[in-house]
Amino acid sequence: MKIAVIGTGYVGLVTAVGLAEFGHNVIGTDKMADKIEKISRGEIPIYEPGLEVLLKSSLKKGNLAFSADVNETIQASDIIFVCVGTPQGDDGSADMSQIEEVSRFIAENLNGYKVVVEKSTVPVKTSSWIKRTISLYKKSDMDFDVASNPEFLREGSAVSDFLNPDRIIIGVETERARDILVKIYERAKDRLLITNIDTAELIKHASNSFLAMKISYINLMANLCEKTDANIEQVAKGMGLDPRIGSLFLKAGLGFGGSCFPKDLKALIKIGEDLGVNMNLLKETDRINAERARIFLEKIKKALWILKDKRIAVLGLAFKPDTDDIREGPSIRLITDLLDEGAVLRLYDPEAQNNMKELFPEDKARITYCRTPYEAAAGVNALLICTEWREFFELDLKKIKGLMANPIIVDGRNIYNPDDVRKIGFEYYSVGRK
Ligand code: UGA
């Protein structure tokens, strides 16, 4: 069986490489010819640990190829994984125009039975639209099936998440499609959950929104801790010891960002409201997250009072460690707010600087991008931690203190032990703990 993967964004590229690693014959395709050319040479357009090595090895083995000819790729394949973007539309709903376009391409190139697999995160009921679109535009009477196989990989650990998933959800409505997908994932057959398509689609949105809710919940508790003598890390630890709650995704901080949680939460709210379901629980989750940046800014003001012309170092621009992705990252809101207040910024991130420069270009008077955290700390009135990159845990804080004009750290990710940093002589503010 030949597999096509349409779309070479985060999910598409990892899916193509991962399915090739499972031993299948895969062709990845994308309209963006320059991107395809780069990937075909073994270069990845994103920073994702381990991905480039696997890409190169499958290209060399010969069971993975890339083509900018979407039509030809569809014709040559039996199974088509649809991995195009479903970005947020103006009203919060997912913009499905790329999925619709791909459905038409598939219809026009339907030269035999094919299984069309939704891999991108899509609203429940999308498969009905895909089916309708293919039926409307197909030129042959060839048969096809639509299936849902949502992806649960995380940026930064995408390769291992794909190759060793906790679960593989397969939403199907025919035996034929089911047998094909079960075969594709034979290597992980102990982790398969087979459902109908609506269920599979909803599992993805429900999972992301639940995790987002867990994060907003712990951030709400952090707000309470800040008004009392409670310590959020111990609260999270105590809660997490209950296996019904679990310890993961209980880290309080600047809130959730990235290309998934904020968008998927809003999309699910819209889906629910369109169906007449009260979605206030998730609206609150979103609201709590939106206020994280303001609460962090208040802490910076508590330390520095007036921010105009204050020199401030920001360590960490990516929305989370091990990625160069800044989309919906708390650092964007923070930098915007600090610039509005008239602060002078020294920014550092090991991987995300180039992406951030596109949003906030270097500007001698206001924004300097630095090559190391130490360079960023030079002469600043305060240092902010925005992303918990491993290297920030290991900084020589005595050296940092010596470089700064005022030894003040505002830590949005709770990466340091308050007693340790205070012993060095820092004034230290963090989240939900004294
Ligand atoms: C998320 C899901 O975890 C994946 O399962 C899913 O496949 C993916 O979205 C997607 O839909 O494509 P990702 O956005 O890569 O993955 O990142 P996460 O590791 O889930 O982190 C999301 C955000 O939550 C980050 O901003 C992170 O800083 C924040 N977070 C996470 C917290 O603030 N506290 C925590 O305890 C955990």
Side-chain angles (χ1 to χ4, degrees):
M1 286 183 297
K2 277 234 154 88
I3 299 178
V5 176
I6 305 184
T8 53
Y10 233 107
V11 170
L13 192 52
V14 177
T15 300
V17 170
L19 290 172
E21 187 63 19
F22 284 166
H24 301 301
N25 279 316
V26 183
I27 310 177
T29 183
D30 202 297
K31 287 195 294 193
M32 293 160 84
D34 49 340
K35 199 171 172 193
I36 287 294
E37 204 187 305
K38 210 171 159 193
I39 298 170
S40 302
R41 285 199 305 266
E43 291 168 32
I44 62 167
I46 46 173
Y47 172 79
E48 181 60 43
L51 186 57
E52 199 160 283
V53 176
L54 283 192
L55 169 69
K56 286 195 166 108
S57 107
S58 290
L59 286 172
K60 203 165 160 198
K61 262 189 258 159
N63 65 327
L64 175 64
F66 289 87
S67 160
D69 191 332
V70 180
N71 297 326
E72 207 177 87
T73 306
I74 293 169
Q75 286 168 23
S77 57
D78 310 298
I79 304 140
I80 302 161
F81 281 81
V82 180
C83 301
V84 292
T86 52
Q88 193 176 307
D90 294 337
D91 60 355
S93 63
D95 174 352
M96 301 302 287
S97 52
Q98 294 181 52
I99 298 270
E100 194 268 352
E101 186 183 39
V102 165
S103 306
R104 279 187 283 116
F105 289 158
I106 294 171
E108 283 154 17
N109 292 286
L110 198 69
N111 57 348
Y113 171 78
K114 295 182 198 294
V115 187
V116 180
V117 189
E118 307 164 347
K119 194 81 170 138
S120 315
T121 303
V122 294
V124 57
K125 287 278 165 220
T126 296
S127 75
S128 322
W129 281 108
I130 295 179
K131 255 172 40 192
R132 179 173 160 73
T133 308
I134 297 177
S135 302
L136 265 181
Y137 294 95
K138 70 177 185 170
K139 291 178 184 141
S140 64
D141 58 0
M142 294 295 175
D143 207 5
F144 67 95
D145 273 311
V146 177
S148 165
N149 170 224
E151 184 47 57
F152 297 100
L153 61 82
R154 291 160 300 172
E155 293 186 16
S157 53
V159 173
S160 62
D161 286 348
F162 190 93
L163 297 178
N164 305 297
D166 299 324
R167 79 285 209 199
I168 293 166
I169 307 292
I170 291 177
V172 279
E173 55 184 12
T174 69
E175 287 284 318
R176 195 173 180 186
R178 174 199 164 114
D179 292 348
I180 289 173
L181 278 157
V182 168
K183 206 158 174 216
I184 287 178
Y185 287 113
E186 196 150 18
R187 272 189 29 167
K189 57 175 180 259
D190 52 328
R191 279 156 285 169
L192 291 187
L193 175 65
I194 298 172
T195 67
N196 68 25
I197 301 182
D198 282 6
T199 305
E201 289 170 339
L202 189 56
I203 285 172
K204 171 69 196 215
H205 264 144
S207 301
N208 274 6
S209 297
F210 186 85
L211 292 169
M213 189 176 71
K214 219 174 162 189
I215 298 167
S216 278
Y217 187 87
I218 203 66
N219 282 327
L220 182 66
M221 294 304 116
N223 292 349
L224 269 178
C225 289
E226 288 176 8
K227 305 282 181 199
T228 63
D229 281 332
N231 175 304
I232 193 60
E233 296 201 318
Q234 286 171 347
V235 169
K237 191 168 177 192
M239 286 171 62
L241 287 171
D242 182 337
R244 291 171 303 174
I245 297 174
S247 58
L248 301 178
F249 276 67
L250 283 182
K251 267 203 84 44
L254 292 172
F256 54 82
S259 63
C260 305
F261 285 180
K263 164 177 89 87
D264 292 350
L265 185 65
K266 288 189 178 71
L268 188 54
I269 292 170
K270 185 75 172 62
I271 292 165
E273 288 188 333
D274 287 350
L275 293 170
V277 177
N278 181 323
M279 300 302 280
N280 282 353
L281 178 63
L282 297 187
K283 280 183 166 171
E284 259 316 279
T285 299
D286 195 29
R287 186 199 62 77
I288 292 169
N289 197 53
E291 74 177 9
R292 298 313 292 162
R294 178 184 57 74
I295 291 173
F296 192 59
L297 188 71
E298 277 165 15
K299 289 190 178 127
I300 304 165
K301 285 186 172 172
K302 196 170 158 197
L304 293 178
W305 192 14
I306 303 298
L307 301 185
K308 187 165 187 313
D309 296 332
K310 294 285 156 57
R311 287 163 66 87
I312 296 178
V314 181
L315 300 192
L317 306 173
F319 84 96
K320 66 174 203 174
D322 296 322
T323 178
D324 61 356
D325 197 344
I326 58 166
R327 286 175 291 176
E328 299 282 332
S331 56
I332 298 175
R333 176 81 261 142
L334 180 71
I335 292 171
T336 309
D337 290 347
L338 292 173
L339 290 173
D340 285 349
E341 297 275 345
V344 176
L345 303 180
R346 296 178 69 73
L347 310 177
Y348 171 76
D349 189 283
E351 296 295 336
Q353 286 192 181
N354 286 341
N355 286 336
M356 198 53 103
K357 276 181 192 167
E358 287 178 22
L359 274 188
F360 299 100
E362 190 125 26
D363 156 6
K364 284 240 154 9
R366 295 270 154 208
I367 307 174
T368 306
Y369 286 89
C370 303
R371 279 166 306 170
T372 67
Y374 300 100
E375 195 181 308
V380 297
N381 303 102
L383 180 139
L384 317 179
I385 306 283
C386 262
T387 314
E388 65 277 34
W389 281 97
R390 180 77 345 237
E391 66 174 86
F392 301 158
F393 289 82
E394 286 147 15
L395 288 179
D396 178 345
L397 289 180
K398 286 192 182 130
K399 182 172 166 189
I400 291 274
K401 179 171 174 275
L403 293 165
M404 292 171 70
N406 303 107
I408 298 173
I409 295 178
V410 190
D411 178 356
R413 299 291 184 182
N414 287 359
I415 70 171
Y416 299 124
N417 176 314
D419 291 340
D420 293 349
V421 274
R422 286 187 186 124
K423 236 179 255 158
I424 297 171
F426 282 101
E427 203 177 300
Y428 181 66
Y429 302 81
S430 56
V431 180
R433 52 187 200 165
K434 297 269 151 45

